[in-house]
Amino acid sequence: MKCDEYDVVIVGSGIAGSVMAKTLTRAGKKVLLLEAGLQAGIAMDKEGAYQNYQFYLDTYYKAAAKVPNSPYPNLPDAPSPDVLDIAPIPNSCSPSTKGYLVQAGPIPFASDCYRGPGGTTLHWLGSTPRMLPNDFQMQTKYGVAVDWPFTYYDLMPYYEMAENEIGIAGDVKEQIGPDVEPVKNYGKDYVFPMQKIPQSYLDQTIIEITNGKTVTVELNKKEYTISYVATPQGRNSIPEPAYKYAGVAWNKKTQKLELEKTDAEYDPVGSLWDPYTGQRCEGNSSCVPICPVQAKYNALKTLRTADHDNLDIITQAVASQVLYDKGSMDITGIEYKKYRYGNSPIYEKGIAKGKIYVLAASAIENAKLLLASGIANSSDQVGRNLMDHMVMLTWGLLPKKGFPYRGPGSTTNIPTFRDGDFRKEHAAWISPIDNWGWAWPTFAPGSDVSNAVGQGMFGKQLRDHLSDIIPRQLLLHFECEQLPEPGNRVTIDPRYKDQLGNYRPVIHYNASEYMQRSFEAAKKVSDQLYKAYNVQDFTSYSAQNPDHVQYKGKVYNFAGAGHIVGTHRMGSDSNSSVVNPDQRTWDHGNLYLVGCGNMPTLGTSNPTLTMTALTYKAAEAILKQLEN
Amino acid sequence: MNTNNHATFLTISAYLTGFSETDLLGTGMVDPYYAAIRDNNDPEVLGYFYQEAATILADSHGDEAEINEAIAARLIPDSCYNGIAKTIILLWYTGNYGNDVLSTDSYKEALVWNVAGAHPPGAKQPGYGSWALPPFSV
Amino acid sequence: MSKFFQKNNPKRQRFVPEDKPDKSLLKGRAMADTAPPDPEEIKKRLLENLQQAIKLEHSTIPPYLCALYSIKDGTNEFAVNTIRSIVVEEMLHMVMAANILNAIGGKPAINTKDFIPGYPTKLPMIDESFIVNLEKFSKASVDIFLQIEKSAEHPEHDGDDYHSIGEFYMAVRRDLIKLNELTNGEIFKGERQPQVTSEQYYGSGGKLIAVYKLEDALEAIDEIVGQGEGIDNTIDDPDQEMFGEDIEYAHYFRFNEIYHGQKYKPTDSVHDDPSGPPVNVDWDAVYNMQLNPKMSDLPEGSPVWQKMYDFNKTYMALLNNIHDACNGQPSLLITGVGLMYDLKYKAIELMKTPFGEEGLMAGPSFEYVQ
């Protein structure tokens, strides 16, 4: 295509950028997409896509530590944050600079993301619960944080679009918990595109472990009944015959995005290289960091189905500056540095021009780019309110074998503490049951082997010991909702730049007392659960772990959930937010921000689904703006 | 290849891991592991290790309890042969030599997944819905 | 749309042979020139032939799997992906033949001793000179696969044998049409319950067709035959490009690309060998599997015998599973997929296990065991 001025320039090919590109090009708009990662990663032809993905897979097999970014190239020209770089921070004057993120502390931010074609959806887990209606009104209901500028119900049609595009497997009828009921939250007769992913044998073992007796726990002198929900997720399963939507399309007449109806059965979207590979989850048990058959959704599936006659993509192009007219405040171009190889300091500058600009580069990169460009920040909110789920893990041995290390990372969650009056005092949390044993906190089962061998075990004794303990491993998450706090933020500092001369993000991060109280509460709940399940608790927290807090004399460790949210919040007035409800910056009439950075609060849901719904809302606003 | 040492490696591996020689052969990893042990150890110490292993196997005439006792006393202690016996066990169970994954194949053939009733993450996938049932081997 | 592509997928090749007079009907006419065809007799023949069709589709699977699993991990990507996709479709064909049989009130028998061919063997129902082995991936074995998938031009011939899979299916096709006509469609029971549907079967180029009426049955046969058969001189459409990245080739062409180590290019004719870009085929990156291994080659109870026995137990569990799935419990097939993977891993273990003579490896023997 190649034109001088596009309708829209998008930065980033993750799920927000790809959904935007697909929606706009299919509505006939000319789009230019800038992607910082390598050209090979964006291959859309079968051979190229296959070869590149096999390279990722091979890298994963050979990686000593199989962390979320382990399969993917980490480029000096467009580096990604990596959890392996988390290190103690001596003091705020000497931040930890071990990895790409400059960690100013006081505690290191614990999550990573991936900067490359397809973005973090390459290594996301794929869990897609919706947020709760109360999550949108935290200030009104509980007197903390802020309200969203619209309600859950306003977002509902866009949730349906996101669930169509990602391809959600789940059972709406089972979505029951605090502030969730099928009809209230999903509407009458609504179904997901695919039937639910079977709950694991481990889940069933736990659910049945009390022989039908309900488990109750006490917290803050209140009794709670534990319930279990099959988690909706973006991975392929058996098509749901009652699902009748084809896809999202722009209706010029109504000036709205609409889900088009069809009589055809939903067809699970297979891998990039073969439509018949990955039509069902095959139980590879490696969703994070890589699904070998691409049964799990990734954004490249969306990008592939954009209208490529209307789309140009420039890869190895790192956006470095957003240019604007000081009079009109309109954005006039995006300057990017196109490097030759991922580790070469040689680059050429280019300027991408369009009528409208969309930053979809991740919460951290969007904020960094805005700060570097000195724009969109009249509210002084850019970079602030960085949030994540702070994940407290607890682990133990079940009284019988549940056979973990099989199936998707999590297939069931405990929703009991997702909402309640306690949110006035401490964070809410969701508790996924983890299907992968103690892998996350202890590097099991490798560590189980080395511990046993270290004790002198060998032969049949070793084999019997391992086959007794590994199948009994249980890991629970307590994913605590971090609230927006101005001091948790992304900043820039001229002392810290990458080799192309682009800023590295400087992160300031802490766990407030609101969070610390939730760790204490969650641990109390965990203790009661383990007692009820007759699980032997092996949880151990250490002050040696850089991500620890001490509360009332006790140490708690937390991990990052990879849910990086909130750095350019959306709101209803320009004094306290960066974007308006259409996700257009208050300061620049032709600049939109998309992605998790817009979310005013996090709730207890994995944020990708909600962020994708928001992106459809933004795409609709852009189409309206372009046509008027 | 020293065929005597190779044979000793296989037999002693079976006693060290608790898997049969046929099971170990079925992984296809006997040769690469033998080579990895050969290439990463002092040949003199390794020579003594094989000599001791062969002696243990020959002297106990296949009496399992006797062999295990001898292995525990004469091969397993860290003071013996630079810990080669433990290295061999870890190699078979995890596919790692030290902290490094030896190869793509070694990752996929690590015995720990077998004893866990599972499979190496990202390989040997058991198929849709398999995780909702106990493993076939149970 | 060209007549050489599937109705439900315009990118998928479909070569259905020209309709020629059927021997079985000719034979019937010769015997009783004036008598109308007897529906009972046709039905009997159909029940028999559809059972044979299931058996025939199955008989290609063990040889293809041996070739596939003999290829060393991480090599021969093109051949692996190709053979895998073909095997998945052969299984699809097998299940669809069972669907047709169920649709006219038959009972597929998939777990009996005589269901499993004793390799080396000729293909069931097909009177052709070539012998099919359980053997490793090699130029010779792929050559046999080409013969399985290609039906050459056969002159008119006498006798009630069939010279190709296509010929056999055309007879089934005509019987179905005739019987449907004679029974005013009553022969098709339209029962939903015994039909395996795309809920249970996936991952294949062809879509699984549930059979409730004649049209479904004919579509299913066209999918089965269209993938491998009828490539003779009667089809030629100079205006139609038959190859290209988005086109799903019939099995013959897919095997032919492996055989020649070269892809077809869009302008190639179906009658010529591929002349496109080369693909890497490494005939040496293969486990040296014993030809047509048998459990009886080894002392009963020996470790390798035990491994072969374990493999065959899994194989029987799979056949039992498919049998039950095709006899009223289709949802069982979802578990069957797990057994297929288990079978694969057991087969590959055998491929790595030395077998008697120096340098030879064991392999899956696909034998009936209790």
Side-chain angles (χ1 to χ4, degrees), chain A residues 68-106:
Chain A
N69 273 340
S70 59
Y72 310 107
N74 195 7
L75 312 169
D77 287 344
S80 297
D82 196 312
V83 290
L84 290 176
D85 294 324
I86 294 171
I89 301 163
N91 58 63
S92 59
C93 305
S94 63
S96 160
T97 58
K98 189 175 170 215
Y100 171 57
L101 297 182
V102 177
Q103 299 262 18

Side-chain angles (χ1 to χ4, degrees), chain A residues 45-47 50-51 54 195 238 241 265 267 274 276-277 279-280 282, chain C residues 9 77 81 84 198-199 202-205 207 245-246 248 263 334 341:
Chain A
D45 64 300
K46 288 179 182 177
E47 180 69 13
Y50 180 78
Q51 292 303 342
Q54 292 308 303
Q195 297 173 26
I238 298 167
E265 185 176 84
D267 207 8
D274 173 19
Y276 308 120
T277 293
Q279 289 187 317
R280 299 286 188 281
E282 295 181 3
Chain C
N9 180 351
E77 272 163 12
N81 289 338
R84 192 191 58 79
S198 54
E199 265 201 31
Y202 53 89
S204 151
K207 232 184 163 52
E245 180 176 281
D246 289 332
E248 296 170 21
K263 288 194 186 184
I334 294 171
Y341 278 112

Side-chain angles (χ1 to χ4, degrees), chain C residues 146-316:
Chain C
L146 285 167
Q147 293 182 55
I148 293 174
E149 298 292 351
K150 178 172 189 173
S151 109
E153 178 79 338
H154 294 290
E156 293 289 318
H157 53 84
D158 296 327
D160 55 3
D161 53 347
Y162 305 100
H163 284 216
S164 76
I165 299 179
E167 226 174 76
F168 167 69
Y169 275 110
M170 284 307 105
V172 173
R173 199 176 197 279
R174 272 184 296 264
D175 274 352
L176 281 168
I177 295 170
K178 194 78 206 166
L179 189 58
N180 188 62
E181 181 189 310
L182 291 172
T183 62
N184 283 324
E186 300 273 308
I187 185 61
F188 286 96
K189 312 277 182 223
E191 285 173 354
R192 198 150 287 274
Q193 182 246 353
Q195 292 294 317
V196 179
T197 71
S198 54
E199 265 201 31
Q200 293 98 26
Y201 200 93
Y202 53 89
S204 151
K207 232 184 163 52
L208 182 59
I209 296 154
V211 178
Y212 305 114
K213 54 185 192 299
L214 178 67
E215 290 70 28
D216 302 332
L218 298 184
E219 197 186 339
I221 288 183
D222 287 358
E223 167 65 37
I224 296 171
V225 184
Q227 272 299 293
E229 293 306 312
I231 303 147
D232 58 30
N233 294 324
T234 57
I235 55 161
D236 210 353
D237 183 350
D239 298 331
Q240 173 70 44
E241 282 195 354
M242 295 305 296
F243 301 105
E245 180 176 281
D246 289 332
I247 294 173
E248 296 170 21
Y249 303 173
H251 296 179
Y252 176 84
F253 302 114
R254 288 191 245 172
F255 279 133
N256 211 26
E257 288 189 328
I258 299 176
Y259 187 81
H260 290 279
Q262 213 167 355
K263 288 194 186 184
Y264 284 99
K265 58 174 196 246
T267 49
D268 281 347
S269 152
V270 292
H271 306 297
D272 296 330
D273 287 332
S275 70
V279 286
N280 188 30
V281 179
D282 184 351
W283 300 104
D284 295 326
V286 172
Y287 293 109
N288 193 16
M289 176 192 158
Q290 158 82 32
L291 179 70
N292 296 315
K294 295 267 178 273
M295 283 167 67
S296 59
D297 295 343
L298 296 166
E300 188 170 332
S302 63
V304 182
W305 181 93
Q306 189 64 45
K307 260 195 161 15
M308 291 177 77
Y309 180 55
D310 287 347
F311 172 88
N312 284 325
K313 278 197 294 189
T314 304
Y315 175 49
M316 287 309 301

Side-chain angles (χ1 to χ4, degrees), chain A residues 202-221:
Chain A
L202 177 77
D203 297 338
Q204 298 166 41
T205 304
I206 292 166
I207 293 168
E208 288 156 17
I209 209 160
T210 47
N211 295 318
K213 221 181 104 201
T214 16
V215 175
T216 55
V217 295
E218 197 207 284
L219 184 66
N220 315 323
K221 302 201 176 96

